[in-house]
Amino acid sequence: MTTVASRTLQAVLLDMDGTLVDTEDFWWEAESTLLAELGHPIGPEEREIVVGGPMSRVVAHLLAVSGAPLTPERLGDLINERFVELIGQGVPVLPGAKALLADLAAHGVPTALVSASHRRIIDQVLRTLGAHNFAFTVAGDEVERTKPHPDPYLLAAARLGADPARCVVIEDAPTGVRAGQAAGCHVLAVPSVAAIEEGPRTTVRTTLEGVDTAMLRALVAGG
């Protein structure tokens, strides 16, 4: 029998790039400029395909469409290095992100940052976001299977002692949305580049502005 307790929000699991911080432009600049410098430019139509990572999928696609003579490992390293250079002076926080994190903290809701980005990138972005806003963070290079697999979100829920069905995942890209859905979580999508459709246990908003603990609790309570 479903009870009120079984529909109570236990945790919020948040993506980073394009969800809390406006880094998707930096990722695309890193990817597109590197390939152009190598003499293998790519068109803007590829951006929607690579948004949201993970890096293994991104580099495989970029190598396939560009024909650049690099190994996936080398291209991935170059993209990460260029990205770190680009965000060296900080990254813009998206509207509503800081207010949401503060509201979740005020209501004692456990949070985790779950990203397909590598650890060194997360740690740099946390200088802007504030590591104190999260119980812990999960990086894409710390799990065997990252998004769109459910593993990162299942790991985060388990570490928080939460039932995935009582967690809300907040994402901006289809890859991350699929990961949250596969984990059995409620998903709040705020699309950054690629379109995302509403569906069962998936709600779409245009911005995080106005998103608060009460709203996220209502998503879980609604089943």
Side-chain angles (χ1 to χ4, degrees), residues 47-169:
R47 181 174 181 178
E48 186 171 320
I49 299 173
V50 300
V51 65
M55 186 59 71
S56 58
R57 179 180 65 83
V58 170
V59 297
H61 179 77
L62 293 177
L63 288 173
V65 298
S66 71
L70 296 172
T71 64
E73 293 76 16
R74 181 56 178 157
L75 180 57
D77 287 344
L78 289 173
I79 290 172
N80 276 319
E81 289 168 10
R82 179 65 58 87
F83 181 79
V84 169
E85 292 174 6
L86 292 172
I87 65 171
Q89 301 304 312
V91 294
V93 179
L94 285 163
K98 286 187 175 180
L100 173 58
L101 292 172
D103 192 62
L104 290 168
H107 287 87
V109 178
T111 62
L113 187 69
V114 183
S115 176
S117 289
H118 289 189
R119 168 54 54 194
R120 62 174 176 160
I121 290 174
I122 290 178
D123 288 345
Q124 182 152 336
V125 173
L126 284 175
R127 297 176 187 173
T128 297
L129 278 178
H132 64 279
N133 284 306
F134 311 97
F136 57 87
T137 61
V138 177
D141 56 341
E142 295 173 344
V143 290
E144 185 174 343
R145 300 192 310 171
T146 189
K147 306 171 188 179
H149 298 288
D151 306 35
Y153 284 121
L154 291 174
L155 172 63
R159 287 184 62 181
L160 290 172
D163 177 356
R166 295 167 65 182
C167 296
V168 174
V169 161

